[in-house]
Amino acid sequence: NAGVTQTPKFQVLKTGQSMTLQCAQDMNHEYMSWYRQDPGMGLRLIHYSVGAGITDQGEVPNGYNVSRSTTEDFPLRLLSAAPSQTSVYFCASRPLLGLDQPQHFGDGTRLSIL
Amino acid sequence: KQEVTQIPAALSVPEGENLVLNCSFTDSAIYNLQWFRQDPGKGLTSLLLIQSSQREQTSGRLNASLDKSSGRSTLYIAASQPGDSATYLCAVYQGAQKLVFGQGTRLTINP
């Protein structure tokens, strides 16, 4: 029972590099989302998806791309990393119709941009 | 815009005490509210989910209440233990799925 799995756990990038943060869930949840957590700012929603082929922007989408080709996977792409994107990134999932079900979070990816 | 505030930002109490963590939100039109625990360098662990039609939820030594009309929720921890030391996050559901988080209360239980 893996739940929500994020890889990698840690990553250091140089400014301008690109990378993809991976998120996979094995609970057949339709809803998946990405948050970033910064000191003094709390967690903020970057992008979310209500199912395969459907994505939308959250509160802080600039500099990030997402796609959802399968129910299980929801990768987050940084096209040209900037120091302001240094943060801890969390992926979450939940059944779309399960209003009595909690959101499940992964363990996070700690990203540093030099 | 929904804003979630958690007071206090940090709390230190001796082991065995009962304690209350507070969460307030500005827009009472929420679906649900969820309390999480976060250990240093770790992810978020769900503690309790309160649906908008409910007033409280209990799990073991934890009890969470919700008063939508006043925009408040509390998390009550009974007989605190050193293992309860962590940051506690409150999040409201803006719509059926999107979470708006408070900045958390960092709790330390002293043996």
Side-chain angles (χ1 to χ4, degrees):
Chain A
N1 188 10
V4 179
T5 303
Q6 291 185 238
T7 56
K9 295 189 184 303
F10 302 92
Q11 184 71 48
V12 178
L13 292 178
K14 294 181 180 179
T15 298
Q17 287 185 319
S18 63
M19 82 160 294
T20 299
L21 281 62
Q22 301 291 345
C23 176
Q25 52 91 11
D26 61 359
M27 297 171 282
N28 203 32
H29 289 169
E30 298 90 348
Y31 182 81
M32 297 184 73
S33 57
W34 278 100
Y35 291 82
R36 60 177 290 173
Q37 185 177 33
D38 302 291
M41 302 294 290
L43 281 92
R44 294 176 291 168
L45 181 64
I46 305 171
H47 285 286
Y48 64 96
S49 168
V50 297
I54 306 171
T55 63
D56 206 344
Q57 298 180 348
E59 181 185 356
V60 288
N62 292 340
Y64 307 95
N65 279 356
V66 292
S67 61
R68 183 96 179 269
S69 57
T70 67
T71 299
E72 295 78 18
D73 300 299
F74 189 42
L76 179 71
R77 297 182 184 84
L78 284 69
L79 299 180
S80 179
S84 61
Q85 294 177 305
T86 293
S87 187
V88 182
Y89 292 86
F90 290 101
C91 179
S93 75
R94 188 178 190 229
L96 196 61
L97 299 179
L99 295 182
D100 62 337
Q101 299 299 310
Q103 293 223 14
H104 298 264
F105 279 75
D107 288 338
T109 293
R110 284 146 185 83
L111 182 62
S112 293
I113 315 295
L114 304 178
Chain B
K1 178 184 175 183
Q2 177 75 270
E3 293 184 0
V4 180
T5 303
Q6 292 186 245
I7 295 174
L11 181 64
S12 180
V13 300
E15 180 178 4
E17 281 201 3
N18 303 324
L19 57 98
V20 174
L21 307 181
N22 296 295
C23 172
S24 62
F25 45 94
T26 55
D27 184 352
S28 62
I30 65 170
Y31 273 69
N32 299 330
L33 184 144
Q34 192 166 349
W35 282 91
F36 295 88
R37 168 187 173 134
Q38 185 175 29
D39 294 288
K42 302 294 185 181
L44 280 68
T45 300
S46 179
L47 297 174
L48 290 165
L49 171 73
I50 309 177
Q51 296 182 69
S52 61
S53 59
Q54 298 174 325
R55 298 283 298 197
E56 65 179 331
Q57 279 284 349
T58 298
S59 176
R61 294 183 294 108
L62 305 179
N63 175 275
S65 68
L66 174 62
D67 184 344
K68 284 181 57 178
S69 62
S70 67
R72 294 180 184 274
S73 176
T74 61
L75 179 67
Y76 176 82
I77 303 177
S80 59
Q81 303 170 358
D84 295 330
S85 297
T87 295
Y88 290 80
L89 297 168
C90 166
V92 301
Y93 281 77
Q94 197 69 39
Q97 300 289 353
K98 298 179 191 177
L99 288 171
V100 179
F101 282 86
Q103 294 194 28
T105 294
R106 188 172 67 254
L107 176 64
T108 303
I109 308 298
N110 301 302

